[in-house]
Amino acid sequence: PALTYQITSGSLLGGDSFSGTLSRVAGENVGTYDITQGTLTAGANYNLTFVEGTFTISARDITVTADDKGKTYGDADPGLTYQITSGTLAFSDAFTGSLTRDAGEDVGAYAITQGTVALSDNYTLSYVGAALTISPRPLLAQADNQSRGYGQPNPALTITYTGFAGSDSVTSLAELPVATTLAQTNSPVGAYEIVLSGGSDTNYSLVLSNGTLTVTPALLTVTADAQSKVY
């Protein structure tokens, strides 16, 4: 702002007036700076006494708000970003540091915190947090196709999994799906569905895919009995 002054003792006579301007100690950072007489004068007819004032630079208010983020379980974290939602930066000033988030890799919401994001002492920085949400990872559970002969017991019904993250395996699941079929030992030749049901886990969204049990004809060999007769 302009540097102004008031006459606090005495008065100017006639049409006399001041000339010149005040000045202040140089500086743009937060703090107080003396306001000096500069070139201000009332002329040779006055014995001018100048009382210094202070020029105060206060901190600039600015607010940053973190952006909500999301990822699928097992994936790498996305970059954590933020926006200025109130105030502006002055000159060529810039932020330093980066956001962080609460630790954890299981499905859930984790707070995004200010971390080391900072500005100089010339600012009063306010931070508004957000959350990183980890969602379940799709996991395909496929019932393996099987076959057997008519009259034979059903083979073991097995499941193949596709989509585990990292070092996860079947043992990582809270509850395994179960494979069943309506085919019995004496079920006739044909195709029978192997049905998957159940199964659950916090970090995975199970996609169940059925398979087929094929009952094939039983092997049967017929041998004619030897016979004879008189001519």
Side-chain angles (χ1 to χ4, degrees), residues 2-226:
L3 301 179
T4 57
Y5 52 88
Q6 308 291 329
I7 296 174
T8 51
S9 176
S11 60
L12 294 173
L13 301 178
D16 291 346
S17 62
F18 291 98
S19 62
T21 58
L22 303 179
S23 62
R24 73 171 179 89
V25 174
E28 291 300 330
N29 291 324
V30 168
T32 56
Y33 299 85
D34 289 338
I35 299 174
T36 59
Q37 186 172 343
T39 60
L40 184 68
T41 180
N45 293 326
Y46 295 90
N47 184 14
L48 178 61
T49 300
F50 178 76
V51 179
E52 291 186 345
T54 55
F55 185 89
T56 301
I57 299 178
S58 57
R60 189 180 187 90
D61 292 330
I62 195 165
T63 301
V64 296
T65 301
D67 299 318
D68 286 320
K69 296 291 181 177
K71 72 168 186 174
T72 299
Y73 169 76
D75 289 349
D77 277 9
L80 301 180
T81 56
Y82 54 89
Q83 310 291 331
I84 296 175
T85 50
S86 176
T88 56
L89 293 173
F91 307 116
S92 59
D93 291 348
F95 292 93
T96 59
S98 57
L99 302 178
T100 57
R101 73 168 179 90
D102 289 349
E105 290 299 333
D106 290 331
V107 166
Y110 299 84
I112 298 175
T113 55
Q114 185 172 345
T116 58
V117 170
L119 289 168
S120 70
D121 292 339
N122 292 324
Y123 294 87
T124 299
L125 176 59
S126 298
Y127 172 77
V128 179
L132 170 70
T133 301
I134 301 177
S135 55
R137 188 179 192 88
L139 179 68
L140 174 62
Q142 172 69 58
D144 298 322
N145 293 329
Q146 304 283 0
S147 66
R148 66 166 175 86
Y150 170 72
Q152 300 296 314
N154 289 335
L157 302 180
T158 56
I159 304 171
T160 297
Y161 297 88
T162 304
F164 280 115
S167 60
D168 285 354
S169 65
V170 173
T171 59
S172 304
L173 298 179
E175 180 183 347
L176 299 180
V178 176
T180 58
T181 181
L182 295 178
Q184 303 295 320
T185 302
N186 60 349
S187 295
V189 168
Y192 298 85
E193 191 171 29
I194 300 173
V195 178
L196 293 186
S197 60
S200 66
D201 191 75
T202 300
N203 293 324
Y204 290 96
S205 175
L206 270 69
V207 179
L208 305 181
S209 181
N210 296 338
T212 301
L213 171 65
T214 302
V215 177
T216 59
L219 297 177
L220 184 64
T221 302
V222 176
T223 303
D225 299 326

